[in-house]
Short mmCIF file of all heavy atoms in Angstrom, two decimals:
data_model
loop_
_atom_site.label_atom_id
_atom_site.label_comp_id
_atom_site.label_asym_id
_atom_site.label_seq_id
_atom_site.Cartn_x
_atom_site.Cartn_y
_atom_site.Cartn_z
N LYS A 144 0.22 -133.11 -24.47
CA LYS A 144 0.20 -134.31 -25.35
C LYS A 144 -0.42 -135.47 -24.61
O LYS A 144 -1.01 -136.38 -25.27
CB LYS A 144 1.65 -134.67 -25.76
CG LYS A 144 1.74 -135.77 -26.78
CD LYS A 144 3.18 -135.99 -27.22
CE LYS A 144 3.32 -137.10 -28.24
NZ LYS A 144 4.76 -137.29 -28.61
N ALA A 145 -0.34 -135.45 -23.24
CA ALA A 145 -1.01 -136.49 -22.43
C ALA A 145 -2.46 -136.19 -22.17
O ALA A 145 -3.10 -136.86 -21.36
CB ALA A 145 -0.27 -136.62 -21.13
N ASN A 146 -2.98 -135.12 -22.85
CA ASN A 146 -4.40 -134.75 -22.78
C ASN A 146 -4.86 -134.33 -21.40
O ASN A 146 -5.96 -134.65 -20.92
CB ASN A 146 -5.25 -135.86 -23.32
CG ASN A 146 -5.01 -136.21 -24.72
OD1 ASN A 146 -4.93 -135.34 -25.57
ND2 ASN A 146 -4.85 -137.49 -25.06
N VAL A 147 -4.01 -133.64 -20.69
CA VAL A 147 -4.39 -133.06 -19.42
C VAL A 147 -4.62 -131.52 -19.58
O VAL A 147 -4.09 -130.95 -20.53
CB VAL A 147 -3.41 -133.30 -18.30
CG1 VAL A 147 -3.23 -134.84 -18.04
CG2 VAL A 147 -2.07 -132.66 -18.57
N ASN A 148 -5.30 -130.94 -18.64
CA ASN A 148 -5.62 -129.49 -18.72
C ASN A 148 -4.57 -128.69 -17.94
O ASN A 148 -4.59 -128.75 -16.67
CB ASN A 148 -6.97 -129.23 -18.18
CG ASN A 148 -7.31 -127.77 -18.17
OD1 ASN A 148 -6.82 -126.98 -19.00
ND2 ASN A 148 -8.11 -127.34 -17.19
N VAL A 149 -3.63 -128.05 -18.58
CA VAL A 149 -2.62 -127.30 -17.89
C VAL A 149 -3.21 -125.91 -17.54
O VAL A 149 -3.42 -125.06 -18.42
CB VAL A 149 -1.32 -127.12 -18.72
CG1 VAL A 149 -0.33 -126.26 -17.99
CG2 VAL A 149 -0.75 -128.51 -19.03
N LYS A 150 -3.52 -125.65 -16.26
CA LYS A 150 -4.19 -124.42 -15.89
C LYS A 150 -3.16 -123.25 -15.90
O LYS A 150 -3.54 -122.13 -15.99
CB LYS A 150 -4.80 -124.56 -14.50
CG LYS A 150 -5.84 -125.64 -14.44
CD LYS A 150 -6.74 -125.55 -13.23
CE LYS A 150 -7.76 -124.48 -13.36
NZ LYS A 150 -8.78 -124.55 -12.25
N GLY A 151 -1.92 -123.56 -15.69
CA GLY A 151 -0.90 -122.51 -15.68
C GLY A 151 0.41 -122.97 -15.00
O GLY A 151 0.53 -124.14 -14.65
N MET A 152 1.29 -122.05 -14.92
CA MET A 152 2.63 -122.34 -14.32
C MET A 152 2.92 -121.35 -13.22
O MET A 152 2.68 -120.14 -13.37
CB MET A 152 3.71 -122.35 -15.40
CG MET A 152 5.12 -122.72 -14.84
SD MET A 152 6.38 -122.70 -16.18
CE MET A 152 5.76 -124.03 -17.27
N VAL A 153 3.57 -121.82 -12.13
CA VAL A 153 4.04 -120.96 -11.07
C VAL A 153 5.52 -121.26 -10.87
O VAL A 153 5.95 -122.34 -10.73
CB VAL A 153 3.21 -121.23 -9.82
CG1 VAL A 153 3.78 -120.33 -8.66
CG2 VAL A 153 1.77 -120.98 -9.95
N ALA A 154 6.29 -120.16 -10.81
CA ALA A 154 7.76 -120.30 -10.65
C ALA A 154 8.22 -119.43 -9.49
O ALA A 154 7.50 -118.47 -9.08
CB ALA A 154 8.47 -119.87 -11.89
N ILE A 155 9.40 -119.74 -8.93
CA ILE A 155 9.96 -118.94 -7.85
C ILE A 155 10.41 -117.60 -8.36
O ILE A 155 10.12 -116.57 -7.75
CB ILE A 155 11.10 -119.72 -7.16
CG1 ILE A 155 10.62 -121.02 -6.58
CG2 ILE A 155 11.74 -118.82 -6.09
CD1 ILE A 155 11.72 -121.94 -5.96
N PHE A 156 11.12 -117.60 -9.48
CA PHE A 156 11.83 -116.42 -9.95
C PHE A 156 11.89 -116.36 -11.45
O PHE A 156 12.04 -117.38 -12.14
CB PHE A 156 13.16 -116.31 -9.34
CG PHE A 156 13.91 -115.03 -9.66
CD1 PHE A 156 13.64 -113.86 -8.92
CD2 PHE A 156 14.84 -114.95 -10.67
CE1 PHE A 156 14.28 -112.66 -9.25
CE2 PHE A 156 15.55 -113.76 -10.96
CZ PHE A 156 15.20 -112.63 -10.19
N SER A 157 11.80 -115.15 -12.04
CA SER A 157 11.98 -114.94 -13.47
C SER A 157 12.94 -113.81 -13.69
O SER A 157 12.91 -112.85 -12.99
CB SER A 157 10.60 -114.63 -14.10
OG SER A 157 10.78 -114.14 -15.42
N TYR A 158 13.80 -114.00 -14.74
CA TYR A 158 14.71 -112.92 -15.15
C TYR A 158 13.94 -111.78 -15.81
O TYR A 158 14.46 -110.70 -15.97
CB TYR A 158 15.78 -113.44 -16.09
CG TYR A 158 16.81 -114.31 -15.42
CD1 TYR A 158 16.98 -115.66 -15.83
CD2 TYR A 158 17.56 -113.88 -14.36
CE1 TYR A 158 17.91 -116.49 -15.26
CE2 TYR A 158 18.52 -114.70 -13.77
CZ TYR A 158 18.69 -116.01 -14.23
OH TYR A 158 19.63 -116.83 -13.63
N GLY A 159 12.75 -112.05 -16.24
CA GLY A 159 11.91 -111.00 -16.86
C GLY A 159 12.31 -110.66 -18.28
O GLY A 159 12.06 -109.55 -18.76
N PHE A 160 12.92 -111.60 -19.01
CA PHE A 160 13.29 -111.32 -20.35
C PHE A 160 12.06 -111.19 -21.26
O PHE A 160 11.06 -111.86 -21.11
CB PHE A 160 14.15 -112.48 -20.91
CG PHE A 160 15.48 -112.62 -20.27
CD1 PHE A 160 16.07 -113.88 -20.14
CD2 PHE A 160 16.17 -111.53 -19.73
CE1 PHE A 160 17.31 -114.02 -19.55
CE2 PHE A 160 17.40 -111.67 -19.16
CZ PHE A 160 18.01 -112.93 -19.06
N ASP A 161 12.16 -110.30 -22.24
CA ASP A 161 11.06 -110.13 -23.15
C ASP A 161 10.78 -111.38 -23.96
O ASP A 161 9.61 -111.67 -24.29
CB ASP A 161 11.36 -108.97 -24.16
CG ASP A 161 11.33 -107.60 -23.51
OD1 ASP A 161 10.66 -107.43 -22.44
OD2 ASP A 161 11.91 -106.68 -24.06
#
Side-chain angles (χ1 to χ4, degrees):
K144 189 175 180 181
N146 297 315
V147 300
N148 177 33
V149 179
K150 302 194 78 172
M152 182 179 296
V153 179
I155 298 174
F156 186 79
S157 169
Y158 289 121
F160 295 149
D161 288 339

